[in-house]
Amino acid sequence: MTALIRWLGMLVLACFAQAATAADPAALYGQHCAACHGADRLGGMGPALLPESLERLRDSELDTVLRDGRAATQMPAFGATLAPPDLHGLARWLRSAPADAPQWSADAIRASHVVTHAPGTLPARPAFSADPQNLFVVVEAGSHHMTVLDGDRLAPVHRFATRFALHGGPKFSRDGRYVYMASRDGWVSKYDLWNLAYVAEIRVGINTRNVAVSDDGRWVLAGNTLPRTLVLLHAEDLSVARVIDVRGRNGDASRVSAVYDAAPRHSFIAALKDIAEVWEIPYADAAGRPLASLAPRAIVLDDVLDDFFFDQPYRHILGASRGGGGQVIDLDQRRKVASLALGGMPHLGSGITWQRDGREVMASPDLGQGRITVIDMQDWHTVTTVPTNGPGFFLRSHERTPYAWADAMMSPRRDTLQVIDKQSLRVVGSVTPSPGRTAAHVEFTRDGRYALVSLMERDGAIVIYDAATLQEVKRIPMDKPIGKYNVFNKTTRSAGTSH
Ligand code: HEC
């Protein structure tokens, strides 16, 4: 009897559920969303809506966007048009991959290429009086803008719109004239900082990680997660040179986790997310003479490496694997040469180096625990761990400052940066730009005198500190400034910042 009642109850529930989720999400998408986000979900005037595109959006945030739209953008609210079960079904459907894997062929890449200013047509001198070597670019993720900041006057020079969801870590040409940016949805843009104008754009993929620029200024390499490709562009106008399928020795395709320019080696390095290989792509020989063909060479590893640090000469990679544990890869010997006793979840990608007691040390934050790990770069032993307020993401310094700055972004103390003495390895001070609000990502002026901190909120700011006294000097309002990059420190590969 009870079994029968339960069965009847389930039948009623099933009918109800079916009535309530009557609408087919694919049909709803075609009717309400495709015009802006593309019938294939690859984007249009709105961003791409594939599972990879939405990785950083929490479920609750996705529900909110669909229901309420996004104020001051073209994204409408659907809370009044579509019933809650329809919205919920649509949100879940967006998290699933299309039956046919989305394609982005070399032809599609070429068709997206736009040159707004042909090479050589704009004046080869800055259109403003600021020191072009001491400019910063600030990525404002809130409303997708970039601000160009004069590092001497500590004031904005210009602000312009970028592609949707630009990644942090734009790259400069060696002379500092051009900045190359990559967006989540695969757009690579080249911007002339001296003339404050875009010069070229191209869509290299559907979901892109980042770009690297060769030290000789000839190449831009983009790493994609969708499709599984590396795209080599001519830096001059961003035209396509080659699309490289990323496949391991066993034939498995892999997403790219990041690409780097190993300038002293005259090569690009590609870190791969799904196969235990690192690729090196030389673009010049040892004497710096350009190579005609840029062919990847795989270095086979024991483990997939998730996170990477290079020493200053780009001889060694310090890598952390997913299961924890770290290793040192010698790029000349093309093999693992040491293990690192790291423990925890080190964020090697934001490691920095300096000299201490005549030895080079490397320090990196930990994504899981409040501590900075300091490693000796000669014998790879752990010198010490410096306890901090909580798990953090970035560690930054400069050759001309005695301190390294660490955030605690992934903890309740996310509003405070701690300042560590690089010789005593002790916390000697802290700054809290705005109590209760996230502060992280420090970059120094060219001379190391000022530290620029991001208040990473929609109504945020760049807060500027005297790097010696830790006194606030100024704050400049910004819309979620996720990162800022100084031309001189990046192009000279300062040991105090990632490159
Ligand atoms: C009139 C054009 C338009 C229509 C119609 C539209 N969108 Fe959007 N949508 C946008 C734009 C533009 C954005 C980017 C907003 C911003 O700048 O944050 C966006 C953003 C989004 C985002 C957030 C993406 C992210 O990564 O932050 C989601 C999710 C989304 N739309 C889903 C939908 C769905 C589902 C529909 C249909 C029910 C839809 N949109 C209909 C234009 C549109």
Side-chain angles (χ1 to χ4, degrees):
M1 185 62 188
T2 42
L4 182 66
I5 289 172
R6 201 179 300 139
W7 182 81
L8 278 171
M10 273 164 61
L11 192 70
V12 171
L13 267 179
C15 293
F16 178 75
Q18 211 163 24
T21 57
D24 167 28
L28 288 177
Y29 180 87
Q31 191 184 342
H32 297 284
C33 325
C36 290
H37 293 282
D40 48 13
R41 295 162 61 188
L42 302 194
M45 69 84 55
L49 293 181
L50 293 162
E52 290 84 352
S53 331
L54 300 173
E55 254 163 24
R56 294 196 181 168
L57 212 60
R58 284 191 291 266
D59 284 343
S60 59
E61 291 170 322
L62 180 54
D63 291 341
T64 310
V65 177
L66 299 193
R67 192 186 61 224
D68 303 337
R70 285 240 172 96
T73 78
Q74 303 271 15
M75 173 64 194
F78 289 94
T81 334
L82 298 173
D86 288 345
L87 285 177
H88 186 66
L90 201 44
R92 269 202 320 218
W93 182 81
L94 291 176
R95 294 274 187 212
S96 59
D100 299 321
Q103 304 293 316
W104 197 252
S105 65
D107 286 343
I109 300 174
R110 285 195 189 94
S112 71
H113 186 209
V114 177
V115 177
T116 33
H117 293 285
T121 56
L122 291 173
R125 62 184 177 290
F128 43 81
S129 60
D131 172 8
Q133 292 295 310
N134 196 21
L135 293 177
F136 288 81
V137 297
V138 185
V139 175
E140 293 183 69
S143 50
H144 314 288
H145 275 73
M146 185 174 263
T147 289
V148 182
L149 207 68
D150 173 350
D152 292 322
R153 287 192 308 120
L154 302 173
V157 173
H158 186 57
R159 186 172 189 264
F160 59 94
T162 67
R163 288 280 166 183
F164 182 86
L166 210 62
H167 288 297
K171 297 291 156 56
F172 299 105
S173 58
R174 190 157 64 171
D175 61 5
R177 174 171 177 182
Y178 297 105
V179 58
Y180 299 86
M181 320 160 207
S183 84
R184 184 192 78 188
D185 291 353
W187 285 97
V188 176
S189 312
K190 178 178 181 178
Y191 187 86
D192 183 336
L193 280 172
W194 294 357
N195 291 285
L196 302 172
Y198 280 105
V199 291
E201 277 199 311
I202 190 163
R203 190 175 184 190
V204 295
I206 302 166
N207 196 262
T208 295
R209 288 299 311 149
N210 75 334
V211 285
V213 183
S214 67
D215 192 48
D216 63 7
R218 298 170 69 227
W219 307 105
V220 173
L221 184 69
N224 290 327
T225 47
L226 207 67
R228 310 313 197 221
T229 51
L230 289 162
V231 179
L232 184 69
L233 306 171
H234 296 284
E236 188 173 55
D237 63 353
L238 299 185
S239 57
V240 182
R242 255 178 92 188
V243 179
I244 303 165
D245 271 324
V246 181
R247 278 185 192 283
R249 302 210 302 181
N250 60 2
D252 288 352
S254 175
R255 294 169 289 176
V256 177
S257 37
V259 290
Y260 307 87
D261 175 48
R265 305 178 66 77
H266 312 294
S267 67
F268 288 119
I269 306 280
L272 307 182
K273 213 174 169 81
D274 304 305
I275 54 180
E277 292 179 17
V278 177
W279 287 10
E280 178 163 27
I281 307 172
Y283 51 75
D285 66 14
R289 281 184 300 260
L291 293 173
S293 85
L294 277 69
R297 298 187 310 203
I299 298 173
V300 178
L301 310 169
D302 306 338
D303 236 339
V304 176
L305 294 186
D306 251 3
D307 187 25
F308 260 42
F309 175 80
F310 294 91
D311 60 1
Q312 283 291 99
Y314 285 83
R315 167 84 194 263
H316 297 101
I317 295 175
L318 278 59
S321 47
R322 216 155 290 173
Q327 46 188 286
V328 182
I329 314 290
D330 184 318
L331 284 169
D332 289 341
Q333 296 184 42
R334 303 163 60 73
R335 63 182 183 87
K336 174 179 168 181
V337 290
S339 295
L340 292 170
L342 289 170
M345 289 173 63
H347 186 213
L348 296 174
S350 78
I352 59 172
T353 56
W354 66 85
Q355 294 291 321
R356 179 174 180 266
D357 298 337
R359 288 171 82 89
E360 187 180 29
V361 294
M362 181 271 197
S364 84
D366 191 297
L367 301 170
Q369 296 171 57
R371 63 178 199 178
I372 303 293
T373 307
V374 184
I375 296 166
D376 182 301
M377 293 293 279
Q378 284 73 58
D379 61 11
W380 315 114
H381 84 274
T382 300
V383 177
T384 191
T385 54
V386 183
T388 61
N389 282 334
F393 203 84
F394 300 104
L395 184 68
R396 291 296 172 85
S397 187
H398 186 279
E399 280 77 356
R400 291 166 75 174
T401 179
Y403 306 132
W405 296 49
D407 63 83
M409 218 177 148
M410 277 90 73
S411 85
R413 300 296 305 279
R414 63 178 63 87
D415 60 359
T416 297
L417 291 148
Q418 288 178 295
V419 176
I420 297 163
D421 184 297
K422 291 193 284 188
Q423 299 310 314
S424 72
L425 303 182
R426 292 220 167 82
V427 174
V428 292
S430 71
V431 299
T432 308
S434 186
R437 307 174 78 219
T438 302
H441 196 277
V442 179
E443 178 102 352
F444 291 83
T445 46
R446 169 182 181 163
D447 57 9
R449 219 177 129 196
Y450 297 105
L452 280 66
V453 174
S454 283
L455 202 52
M456 282 190 198
E457 312 268 352
R458 281 307 303 263
D459 55 343
I462 295 291
V463 186
I464 303 167
Y465 291 91
D466 182 309
T469 64
L470 310 187
Q471 295 301 308
E472 181 176 331
V473 174
K474 189 172 186 177
R475 56 180 70 195
I476 306 169
M478 299 265 171
D479 191 354
K480 203 169 182 194
I482 54 169
K484 67 211 81 64
Y485 311 88
N486 178 273
V487 169
F488 181 82
N489 295 340
K490 292 299 184 195
T491 55
T492 57
R493 297 190 296 279
S494 162
T497 181
S498 52
H499 318 132

